[in-house]
Amino acid sequence: MSAPGQPNGPIVIVGGGLAGLRTVEELRSLGHAGPVTVIGAESRPPYDRPPLSKQLMAGSVDDTSLRAELDSLGATFRLGQRAERLDAEIVYTDQGEYRFGRLAIATGARPIALPGPGRQRFLRTMDDALALREVLVPGTRLAVIGAGWIGAELATAAAARGCVVTVVEAAATPIAAAVGTEVGARTAPWYAQAGVELMLGQAVESVQDGGLALAGGGWLEADLIVTAVGVRPEVGWLDSSEVELENGVVVDGQLRSSVPGVYAVGDCAAFWSARFGRRMRTEHWDTALRAPAVLAANLAGRSEIYDPVPYFWSEQFGRMLQYGGDHRGADRLIWRGAEDDARWAACWLAGERLVAVLTVGLPKDLTQGRRLIESAAPVDADRIADPAVPLRDCLLGR
Ligand SMILES: Cc1cc2nc3c(=O)[nH]c(=O)nc-3n(C[C@H](O)[C@H](O)[C@H](O)COP(=O)(O)OP(=O)(O)OC[C@H]3O[C@@H](n4cnc5c(N)ncnc54)[C@H](O)[C@@H]3O)c2cc1C
């Protein structure tokens, strides 16, 4: 099995996270019996990241490995080995060279660090999470920089473990970068309700020993500092290659990069979405889970398109948040339910189309909203604003 017009030879996958593993699984389930090698910088076998800030941090699980054993996949896993360079048909790692016929780049993303000599921790890997959990003991003063998804989830777990938690956020509200300040504002009261101090509109100048130097001259004392201000695609190792990079590996709807035979998937891939008319790079588990089916099919010579209604969830302060779609092209926000309701949803419209939905404790709205977004059919804004009307009944003229 080889793609027409593309070189034969082994398939090499760089990145042993969810997207890398799922690519091997999908190749095998399509009947590809040829050699597949996975190069992964972490020495752990592939594991799941979402539970790291949730169940693992809460103490209900200790290991989030994705497969009990990898041998049944018949692939070669080169773990604890980092790709450093790509040149023509060879991946150079810190321990050797790998010639490939086709290459899948699945190197994910890495947390952004802030300036300063003090120790800052991150929450990206299982090792990060296990080490952090160990020191989240009652009375520990924890400073979390960033009230994004990870910052909110970590604050939830740390407060439940008895830590004294302060979250410092430069924006005017939590999760502002992801959903905007109008929606983000609705989540701000949850922090105080959980006993977490939230400092909004407060930039951090630098991380120092024993605390944070705050913009404006303030100081926040802390025993532990976790920086959770976002991630960047892990693509520095491709800088000297011919692969086009812009906010990740630039790929088309078929997940093909600018170099024939080289593909990218997961957090590191900025794929073209015809549905939304723009390039998208999601940092969503659902993308790393599902896009590899399309990638594997295309590695096998097909021409399938990955263009989903993106999906993401977060569990924070006892609530389940789910987001579907992409609200960047929206011109209108409609609420379903009041701010102090236990459950509510935010719906974004572009003209008469629903383009994104965020739900709090309303999984049916999420599912039905995603279907409406997928259909691109005109919706009735007045009915959407009535939480008693199921979203599936909000099509215009029905
Ligand atoms: C704590 C946490 C909680 C999350 N919670 C949620 C959630 O609730 N909902 C949700 O939708 N998403 C969540 N996510 C995001 C989700 O986990 C990611 O979108 C998903 O893991 C992306 O998978 P990936 O395989 O693309 O990348 P990764 O999981 O980052 O895997 C990439 C792998 O490639 C390796 N690598 C990097 N560079 C190299 C190199 N040069 N050579 C070899 N190997 C390399 C890395 O070490 C890593 O193991 C969470 C993420 C974290 C960290």
Side-chain angles (χ1 to χ4, degrees):
M1 184 180 73
S2 69
Q6 291 180 359
N8 288 312
I11 293 177
V12 169
I13 299 168
V14 182
L18 177 62
L21 175 68
R22 291 281 301 123
T23 303
V24 187
E25 290 176 342
E26 291 290 344
L27 280 165
R28 293 306 187 220
S29 74
L30 283 173
H32 175 76
V36 178
T37 299
V38 180
I39 301 164
E42 292 181 72
S43 42
R44 286 181 185 277
Y47 59 86
D48 227 4
R49 294 186 200 276
L52 301 181
S53 48
K54 306 175 184 72
Q55 295 89 340
L56 188 141
M57 205 51 65
S60 58
V61 300
D62 296 324
D63 186 343
T64 66
S65 295
L66 284 159
R67 279 181 84 98
E69 41 79 40
L70 295 172
D71 291 351
S72 61
L73 289 171
T76 306
F77 280 82
R78 299 283 184 220
L79 302 177
Q81 202 165 136
R82 181 171 288 277
E84 293 183 325
R85 190 162 62 87
L86 169 65
D87 186 11
E89 283 149 30
I90 301 178
V91 172
Y92 296 87
T93 76
D94 51 5
Q95 291 164 50
E97 304 175 8
Y98 296 84
R99 184 171 291 279
F100 62 86
R102 283 147 294 165
L103 172 68
I105 299 166
T107 43
R110 77 157 58 201
I112 297 167
L114 290 180
R119 174 161 188 199
Q120 51 190 310
R121 293 170 182 257
F122 303 95
L123 180 43
R124 180 74 193 176
T125 67
M126 203 189 321
D127 289 341
D128 292 341
L130 288 169
L132 186 56
R133 187 178 72 180
E134 195 76 4
V135 288
L136 292 181
V137 294
T140 299
R141 292 167 306 170
L142 170 69
V144 180
I145 311 172
W149 305 114
I150 305 272
E153 293 189 352
L154 173 60
T156 303
R161 296 178 75 83
C163 299
V164 179
V165 186
T166 305
V167 179
V168 187
E169 168 59 55
T173 74
I175 54 173
V179 297
T181 51
E182 198 178 346
V183 176
R186 281 200 170 194
T187 75
W190 301 348
Y191 289 72
Q193 288 161 17
V196 173
E197 189 188 352
L198 175 63
M199 297 170 74
L200 291 171
Q202 178 61 69
V204 170
E205 205 140 78
S206 64
V207 178
Q208 301 291 331
D209 285 335
L212 299 178
L214 304 173
W219 172 256
L220 177 69
E221 196 101 0
D223 305 314
L224 271 181
I225 295 161
V226 178
T227 304
V229 296
V231 295
R232 295 260 184 269
E234 182 72 283
V235 292
W237 67 280
L238 296 164
D239 278 347
S240 65
S241 76
E242 300 286 306
V243 173
E244 187 185 347
L245 303 173
E246 197 188 325
N247 181 28
V249 179
V250 172
V251 291
D252 65 9
Q254 294 181 35
L255 305 175
R256 299 177 298 190
S257 80
S258 58
V259 173
V262 177
Y263 299 73
V265 69
D267 280 12
C268 70
F271 61 91
W272 175 254
S273 168
R275 181 191 301 281
F276 292 101
R278 70 168 65 88
R279 206 165 286 291
M280 304 185 106
R281 191 181 65 76
T282 70
E283 292 156 9
H284 300 354
W285 182 88
D286 194 62
T287 306
L289 181 79
R290 294 181 204 282
V294 171
L295 171 58
N298 295 342
L299 287 167
R302 296 193 205 155
S303 303
E304 292 191 6
I305 299 286
Y306 182 69
D307 194 5
V309 173
Y311 168 71
F312 177 88
W313 85 97
S314 170
E315 295 162 39
Q316 47 182 277
F317 307 111
R319 295 164 174 89
M320 171 63 102
L321 279 65
Q322 293 173 289
Y323 178 91
D326 183 347
H327 66 275
R328 281 174 293 176
D331 48 42
R332 200 166 161 195
L333 174 65
I334 297 176
W335 294 109
R336 282 168 68 78
E339 175 164 7
D340 45 11
D341 289 350
R343 298 152 202 269
W344 49 262
C347 298
W348 286 266
L349 268 62
E352 289 185 326
R353 281 184 309 117
L354 183 68
V355 290
V357 55
L358 173 81
T359 63
V360 177
L362 290 172
K364 275 193 190 150
D365 270 16
L366 188 279
T367 310
Q368 294 174 16
R370 256 184 115 188
R371 286 201 194 113
L372 280 186
I373 297 166
E374 202 157 12
S375 75
V379 292
D380 183 330
D382 292 339
R383 289 171 74 78
I384 285 190
D386 181 353
V389 179
L391 274 182
R392 63 163 179 256
D393 295 336
C394 291
L395 284 171
L396 201 62
R398 296 253 176 109

